[in-house]
Amino acid sequence: MSSKEQKHTERSAKRPRVDQNLPPDDLQNPANNPAADTSEMGSCSSGSNVQEAREPVQKRIRDFKGDITRTFLAKRKQFEKDIHASYRILNANLYSIFKAQQKSRQELHSMHYQMFESLHQGWLDDVESSREQEDYLALITWKQMKILQKAIGDHETMIGNAKDLRDTFLKVW
């Protein structure tokens, strides 16, 4: 609260409150005001006595305001501590969730990588096996081609021998 607001509050606390429903002349003349009994005010008629009577009341009011202020400040500090504790707990929980998700992602990535590696290795093995089978089939085909070439050569030799034999037989006849 600014010093101007505080001074205004102190001044308004010292001034007696005026009831808006009462006419202004009743306040200035206590004889016309039946609510003000002058017989009881006789002992406190001097200004210093009234001031002395007000001081303990004002002190109690200040103490009461101070107690309320201290109570509210204590509650505010406790509220702030609770809020900070809640934020710390929430932050810790979010961090643990983040770490768990990160670990899960790494495990999933690792699992996918291992699965890819095994599939890739299987594919490489299949390719190697296919190459080996292709080489084996090429070798068999080459061997069969050699056998066939030899058979053709032998057959041509046999046909040549048969022609020679025929020619010899025809000459003899």
Side-chain angles (χ1 to χ4, degrees), residues 111-123:
M111 186 176 70
H112 279 114
Y113 183 75
Q114 288 173 354
M115 198 162 72
F116 172 76
E117 273 295 313
S118 66
L119 288 173
H120 182 67
Q121 188 61 44
W123 179 76

Side-chain angles (χ1 to χ4, degrees), residues 89-105:
I89 291 169
L90 181 62
N91 193 23
N93 288 343
L94 289 174
Y95 185 74
S96 67
I97 289 170
F98 172 75
K99 281 297 185 184
Q101 287 179 345
Q102 192 176 26
K103 182 180 177 185
S104 176
R105 270 190 243 115

Side-chain angles (χ1 to χ4, degrees), residues 122-138:
W123 179 76
L124 289 176
D125 292 344
D126 289 346
V127 167
E128 184 64 31
S129 173
S130 297
R131 284 184 183 156
E132 288 173 1
Q133 288 176 359
E134 183 181 339
D135 291 344
Y136 178 72
L137 289 173

Side-chain angles (χ1 to χ4, degrees), residues 26 28 39 47 55 57 72 90 93 124 138 145 158:
D26 288 339
Q28 293 176 5
S39 63
E55 285 179 5
V57 172
F72 282 133
L90 181 62
N93 288 343
L124 289 176
M145 191 172 68
M158 284 174 40

Side-chain angles (χ1 to χ4, degrees), residues 65-76:
K65 285 181 183 178
D67 289 343
I68 289 174
T69 305
R70 281 190 294 274
T71 302
F72 282 133
L73 285 175
K75 286 187 179 192
R76 180 180 175 188

